Amino acid sequence: MNDVRRHDKACRTKNFLCAAGMYLFLIVVCIVIIYPILWIVFSSFNPSQSMFSSTLVPKEMNLDNYIWLFTNPDSNYLLWFKNSMKISLIVMVLQLILVSFTAYAYSRFNFRGKKFGLLIFMVLQILPLTSAMIAFYALGILLGLVQNHAHAYLIAIYVGSAIPGNTYLVKGYLDNIPKELDEAAHLDGAGNFTTFFRIVMPLAKPILAVQALWAFMTPLQDFVIAKLIIRDPNLNTLAVGLQSFVSGSMTGGSQMQFTKFAAGSLLIALPIALLYVFLQKYLISGLTAGGTKG
């Protein structure tokens, strides 16, 4: 009996230590993630230009940095915001259209080269976008896209690079939609396009919502490719434009405006948050679907 009690006590102690260790690990992870975010948030309300402070919360807080972004003649924030929104919305729409058609074709039809095409898509999604930076720049210079059509070229890069991996993901989701629905629609006289738009796509809203959110976020978060392609300051996106605050190029290298950078960075999250709220009811099921069936 004593041995059993000692064994139960040892098990309870072990479980308690495991649970305590897990919670401690989660607390540390939360601190690591949340602290930099809080630092950026409070820095955006700091009237000074330095992000370094003796305390996390500045002694003086105001909205001067946000007001400066929208009212100061030296700030092109509204122009950068408009450029980024234009690119993000076009990328989102084009990517949804192309990926939907491509995934539907691979999911529902049998054709020569289908397996090889899926294999190529799988290989291409492994390669990061930045691995083709030199090729993107050389092609843009050769075709004159860097100088005259930087936004159109960026849209083509974002959309084209997303097709392989997202096609594979959406195809996996469509494979789980019973093909009997397509057959029933065909028996009722519906063609492939009618079946696609009225039967399959309404059922694929969760995965399309995920694709829309990812596509919208990509241009807002990308700095490297946009900085490489854009040469006209009037065409800068938010990421490229805000970099001038911390590089000192806006002030001739004499002053780095970190707190204005923090304010501008936080405002980027607003359209993403609004889109997330709008698509929220579809995102949970979409994020957990689509992956492995090929």
Side-chain angles (χ1 to χ4, degrees):
M1 182 66 68
N2 291 332
D3 291 340
V4 174
R5 290 178 178 176
R6 283 196 296 268
H7 178 72
D8 291 342
K9 184 178 181 180
C11 289
R12 288 195 298 270
T13 302
K14 181 179 179 180
N15 292 336
F16 174 78
L17 292 176
C18 289
M22 183 186 305
Y23 282 113
L24 179 62
F25 173 76
L26 292 175
I27 291 172
V28 172
V29 171
C30 289
I31 292 174
V32 171
I33 294 174
I34 295 175
Y35 183 79
I37 297 176
L38 292 177
W39 191 12
I40 294 293
V41 171
F42 288 119
S43 295
S44 69
F45 295 101
N46 190 343
S48 70
Q49 298 304 319
S50 175
M51 292 182 67
F52 298 99
S53 176
S54 57
T55 59
L56 176 64
V57 181
K59 296 179 180 179
E60 296 182 9
M61 298 177 62
N62 55 46
L63 296 174
D64 288 351
N65 292 320
Y66 293 95
I67 295 173
W68 186 92
L69 290 175
F70 293 101
T71 61
N72 194 290
D74 295 332
S75 173
N76 292 318
Y77 190 82
L78 287 176
L79 176 62
W80 303 336
F81 193 89
K82 183 187 73 172
N83 292 339
S84 293
M85 288 299 102
K86 179 184 74 173
I87 295 174
S88 291
L89 290 172
I90 294 176
V91 168
M92 181 179 68
V93 172
L94 290 180
Q95 184 173 314
L96 281 176
I97 294 173
L98 295 176
V99 169
S100 298
F101 278 114
T102 308
Y104 179 75
Y106 274 103
S107 176
R108 290 302 198 258
F109 300 107
N110 292 316
F111 50 89
R112 184 178 299 178
K114 176 180 177 180
K115 291 185 178 179
F116 181 74
L118 288 174
L119 178 62
I120 294 298
F121 279 177
M122 184 182 296
V123 173
L124 289 176
Q125 70 177 335
I126 298 174
L127 301 175
L129 182 61
T130 52
S131 64
M133 286 175 53
I134 303 302
F136 288 147
Y137 184 74
L139 182 62
I141 292 295
L142 182 65
L143 299 178
L145 298 175
V146 173
Q147 292 83 0
N148 303 319
H149 306 286
H151 283 178
Y153 190 37
L154 277 177
I155 291 170
I157 291 174
Y158 293 140
V159 173
S161 61
I163 289 177
N166 291 331
T167 295
Y168 209 88
L169 185 66
V170 177
K171 175 194 174 297
Y173 189 93
L174 298 184
D175 286 344
N176 293 318
I177 298 177
K179 293 185 179 180
E180 288 78 7
L181 296 175
D182 300 40
E183 297 170 358
H186 291 158
L187 289 175
D188 290 336
N192 289 325
F193 278 98
T194 302
T195 303
F196 173 79
F197 285 111
R198 295 191 176 184
I199 305 297
V200 178
M201 286 300 103
L203 297 175
K205 284 181 180 179
I207 196 66
L208 296 180
V210 175
Q211 296 301 306
L213 183 62
W214 287 352
F216 184 79
M217 289 170 57
T218 299
L220 295 176
Q221 296 178 336
D222 176 61
F223 167 77
V224 177
I225 301 298
K227 181 67 173 179
L228 181 71
I229 300 301
I230 296 175
R231 289 292 175 266
D232 186 351
N234 292 323
L235 299 180
N236 280 345
T237 60
L238 279 171
V240 177
L242 288 175
Q243 189 264 346
S244 64
F245 288 169
V246 294
S247 67
S249 58
M250 177 169 287
T251 57
S254 60
Q255 188 177 17
M256 298 182 184
Q257 305 183 51
F258 286 105
T259 54
K260 291 182 177 61
F261 172 84
S265 300
L266 285 178
L267 291 176
I268 297 177
L270 290 180
I272 298 175
L274 292 175
L275 183 62
Y276 180 87
V277 171
F278 179 74
L279 299 175
Q280 185 177 8
K281 61 181 179 180
Y282 303 114
L283 287 175
I284 296 177
S285 56
L287 285 169
T288 58
T292 56
K293 190 174 179 181

